Amino acid sequence: MVRQERALRTRRLILEAAASVFDEFGYEGATIGEVVSRAGVTRGAVYFHFASKRDLAQGVVEEQFVQDGVPERSCKLQEFVDTGMVVAHLMPRDPLLSAGARLSLGQDVFDDLGGGAIPGWINRFEALLAAAAERGELLPHVVPADTAWLLVAAWTGVQIQSQKLCGRADLELRVSGLYQHLMPSIAVPGVLGSLQMGPNRGAQVVAEAAAAREAEEAGEAEAAVRAEAQAAAGVG
């Protein structure tokens, strides 16, 4: 178990280093040697987890879907908004998301990685919209697959524009504006009025998720202490 946890930590360390390298140099300019240097591991450790630079890039793209940090909501359209706003909040702060965007949009690697993260995000948003439709949150004309495709395309365009004009400094504001324009065309009025779509929504959801994780970890630690105490009492 300890060995497995160590391997997972090393893999994550390599992915974070690779993300910073891909984000800075792009796919073609990135080298395994630079990843090794930034991760502080051996070249063998990198190749133990990733067979090639392509596999490493694919790992960076896929890692953003491991934990999105968005709590499940009873209102699926709020979860739909929260997902986009959390990514807008984290992208300027998380090299994995930023590198995933560059790898997904770079012409030198797009075909090789099968569209990068874009198909995954379309599927994620389509699933949320389908769940929203089942709950009666969508207007009758809305087709989840079409709306998911358009949302990801628009979100991507907003991200590119924000990056080029101000280094993503206004990304949360612009994505908030995107949702405020989109949601009236797909949400039933009763749901639309309850949606939280402000520029600070991503930060609020990230803080909420962090607090939930801390509470869960504290509960697990307390349970472990109680179990040890009970075991000691039993032995006695």
Side-chain angles (χ1 to χ4, degrees):
M1 182 65 70
V2 172
R3 184 177 301 172
Q4 183 179 14
E5 291 176 355
R6 186 183 302 117
L8 289 174
R9 287 196 299 270
T10 300
R11 185 179 187 277
R12 176 71 183 191
L13 184 66
I14 292 168
L15 283 174
E16 289 176 349
S20 69
V21 174
F22 286 128
D23 199 28
E24 183 175 347
F25 299 105
Y27 182 79
E28 289 298 330
T31 66
I32 295 294
E34 184 63 24
V35 174
V36 168
S37 176
R38 295 194 186 190
V41 299
T42 65
R43 186 175 291 266
V46 172
Y47 283 116
F48 175 80
H49 291 280
F50 303 98
S52 65
K53 186 169 75 169
R54 183 198 179 282
D55 285 347
L56 191 52
Q58 189 68 49
V60 168
V61 168
E62 293 174 354
E63 186 67 14
Q64 60 193 286
F65 298 111
V66 174
Q67 291 183 337
D68 56 24
V70 178
E72 186 174 352
R73 309 288 186 193
S74 59
C75 176
K76 289 302 169 181
L77 281 186
Q78 185 63 67
E79 193 173 336
F80 175 74
V81 172
D82 287 351
T83 300
M85 292 306 303
V86 164
V87 177
H89 175 72
L90 293 178
M91 185 165 282
R93 300 167 173 84
D94 186 345
L96 278 165
L97 282 171
S98 184
R102 179 163 184 173
L103 289 169
S104 298
L105 298 173
Q107 292 302 311
D108 57 347
V109 72
F110 186 86
D111 292 336
D112 196 34
L113 292 182
I118 291 173
W121 285 119
I122 292 174
N123 292 337
R124 175 73 58 85
F125 284 119
E126 182 181 350
L128 289 171
L129 289 169
E134 292 177 357
R135 289 164 169 76
E137 298 172 10
L138 296 181
L139 293 170
H141 70 274
V142 177
V143 178
D146 293 345
T147 301
W149 194 98
L150 288 170
L151 182 278
V152 173
W155 200 108
T156 301
V158 168
Q159 187 274 139
I160 293 172
Q161 192 84 328
S162 176
Q163 183 182 23
K164 287 184 177 296
L165 294 179
C166 61
R168 300 195 183 110
D170 66 349
L171 183 56
E172 291 173 271
L173 176 65
R174 300 304 181 183
V175 172
S176 172
L178 171 62
Y179 274 114
Q180 290 178 44
H181 279 76
L182 171 67
M183 300 312 290
S185 68
I186 69 170
V188 297
V191 172
L192 179 63
S194 69
L195 294 177
Q196 299 182 52
M197 300 181 283
N200 295 326
R201 181 61 183 172
Q204 293 168 356
V205 175
V206 168
E208 174 191 350
R213 284 194 300 271
E214 290 177 3
E216 182 180 359
E217 291 171 359
E220 291 174 353
E222 183 178 347
V225 170
R226 286 200 303 269
E228 290 179 1
Q230 291 171 356
V235 172

